Amino acid sequence: MGQTVRTYTTARRQAGSAQAREGQRLIIGPWDHMSSRGVYPDRSFGPLASAQMLGLTGLHVKFFDRWLRGDTSALDDVAPVKIFVMGIDQWRDEQAWPLPDTQWTDFHLTSASHANTANGDGALTTEPPAGAGHDTYLYDPRRPVPTAGGACLPMTPGFGGPVDQRTVAAHDDVLCFATPVLEEAVEVTGPVSLTLFVSSSAVDTDFTAKLVDVFPEGKAINLCDGILRARYRGGLATEELMEPGTVYEITVDMTATSNVFLPGHRIRVDVSSSNFPRYDRNTGGVIARESEEQGIPAVNHIHHGPNHPSRLILPIIDRKDQS
């Protein structure tokens, strides 16, 4: 989905003509490659979620009528952006992406240095923490964090899409940072990213991030995620290994989501260094030329505080008509 959204926004800004720029349409639904019903073992998005209820085929026909058959009015009643807002489980028409009324909000990572697992003391706060600290975990490529949901082919039920994260978040190499229980609904719609200040015992390691909606009964549903290989922190065109023990600022692109965190829920971000087999394990070298036995464990640190403001950057939408 990330590249699809980037293609849309790039075409809206840079396409070669006004007609091409204004002719783009974006539809984001709670679907995967195998199904467009919006029904999963751990989360069902209701009857409105299905592509059939949306009339997706009809929207495709209108798009083709406009650009292949020359019907200049075919898209007049189709909004530039259609998104399914999870949480309230409703479709909504928008005029732009990201939404014009987006409030980019920093949620700072903080802890008493024991954010490991969902039972740790990791917290998210909109107030910058006064004290400095860090959290530590061991990444071992022979014992990677298993994939549980996300934008991947669901080879087995519960592998792709929304999956309860409680089993994964029980691993001690997963750091969990969560808000207090919400008293009011919070809508997050748009691109999501995580800025981290990191250090490692290794010259290269991965950092993963996952946005999670924690329900009152404890169920924790993944919304979007991302990964960054540290050697490519400056871009894929160049490689730069880390100096062990040196702190680096990195940003993990977590693609995008649209979700209303309802009262009684919590917003959580899970940080680790693997998501396998969705992403191959970092072995400390060039994976194509290494064997599994050559994997190098890494002791990784996430720093936070005034001098290292690690933070989750969320696109908050303040609309009072939802509950």
Side-chain angles (χ1 to χ4, degrees):
M1 185 190 79
Q3 190 56 54
T4 299
V5 172
R6 284 188 287 271
T7 299
Y8 171 81
T9 55
T10 300
R12 290 284 291 186
R13 292 193 309 266
Q14 300 178 14
S17 68
Q19 185 181 64
R21 292 190 292 273
E22 295 168 4
Q24 305 298 319
R25 294 295 186 273
L26 177 67
I27 300 173
I28 304 176
W31 310 318
D32 59 57
H33 289 285
M34 306 297 290
S35 172
S36 57
R37 295 188 302 120
V39 177
Y40 299 89
D42 291 340
R43 177 74 164 91
S44 174
F45 295 103
L48 296 178
S50 73
Q52 183 177 4
M53 288 294 293
L54 175 65
L56 184 61
T57 299
L59 293 171
H60 287 160
V61 170
K62 288 186 176 186
F63 192 85
F64 295 143
D65 283 347
R66 171 63 186 92
W67 299 112
L68 298 182
R69 293 180 173 174
D71 182 353
T72 57
S73 63
L75 291 176
D76 287 354
D77 62 344
V78 179
V81 177
K82 286 182 177 291
I83 55 174
F84 187 84
V85 185
M86 300 177 290
I88 58 175
D89 295 350
Q90 298 175 6
W91 287 98
R92 199 166 70 205
D93 288 348
E94 298 289 349
Q95 297 304 306
W97 183 273
L99 278 55
D101 53 338
T102 300
Q103 302 174 22
W104 302 100
T105 304
D106 291 343
F107 285 76
H108 296 268
L109 279 59
T110 186
S111 75
S113 297
H114 301 289
N116 310 72
T117 80
N119 294 320
D121 58 21
L124 285 177
T125 173
T126 54
E127 295 295 327
H134 68 271
D135 290 278
T136 302
Y137 60 93
L138 172 66
Y139 161 66
D140 187 341
R142 296 163 297 186
R143 190 177 63 94
V145 175
T147 295
C152 47
L153 287 171
M155 297 181 292
T156 59
F159 182 84
V163 173
D164 193 341
Q165 301 296 305
R166 279 180 284 192
T167 300
V168 173
H171 288 233
D172 60 6
D173 52 352
V174 177
L175 306 180
C176 300
F177 301 88
T179 65
V181 173
L182 299 175
E183 297 181 358
E184 298 181 349
V186 176
E187 179 181 337
V188 174
T189 295
V192 177
S193 65
L194 179 67
T195 294
L196 294 174
F197 287 80
V198 302
S199 62
S200 177
S201 64
V203 297
D204 188 35
T205 190
D206 294 347
F207 291 96
T208 65
K210 185 181 298 180
L211 181 64
V212 177
D213 185 353
V214 183
F215 286 60
E217 71 274 18
K219 180 172 66 174
I221 296 297
N222 55 301
L223 298 173
C224 61
D225 58 65
I227 187 171
L228 178 70
R229 182 147 294 188
R231 68 170 66 199
Y232 296 118
R233 61 191 179 276
L236 294 176
T238 59
E239 297 185 39
E240 183 182 0
L241 297 178
M242 305 171 73
E243 181 72 27
T246 299
V247 178
Y248 298 91
E249 179 180 358
I250 66 169
T251 297
V252 182
D253 179 0
M254 301 171 64
T255 65
T257 194
S258 181
N259 184 74
V260 175
F261 294 84
L262 297 173
H265 290 225
R266 291 184 295 149
I267 302 170
R268 195 177 83 198
V269 63
D270 294 351
V271 180
S272 192
S273 288
S274 53
N275 182 353
F276 181 80
R278 182 181 176 190
Y279 299 103
D280 208 348
R281 294 158 293 182
N282 191 321
T283 59
V286 179
I287 292 176
R289 296 198 294 267
E290 292 190 334
S291 67
E292 182 177 337
E293 290 74 20
Q294 292 176 294
I296 300 174
V299 178
N300 292 336
H301 308 278
I302 305 298
H303 303 262
H304 41 75
N307 296 325
H308 300 114
S310 292
R311 59 203 182 275
L312 174 68
I313 304 165
L314 294 181
I316 301 298
I317 307 298
D318 186 8
R319 298 185 181 175
K320 303 301 184 182
D321 58 346
Q322 54 199 14
S323 60

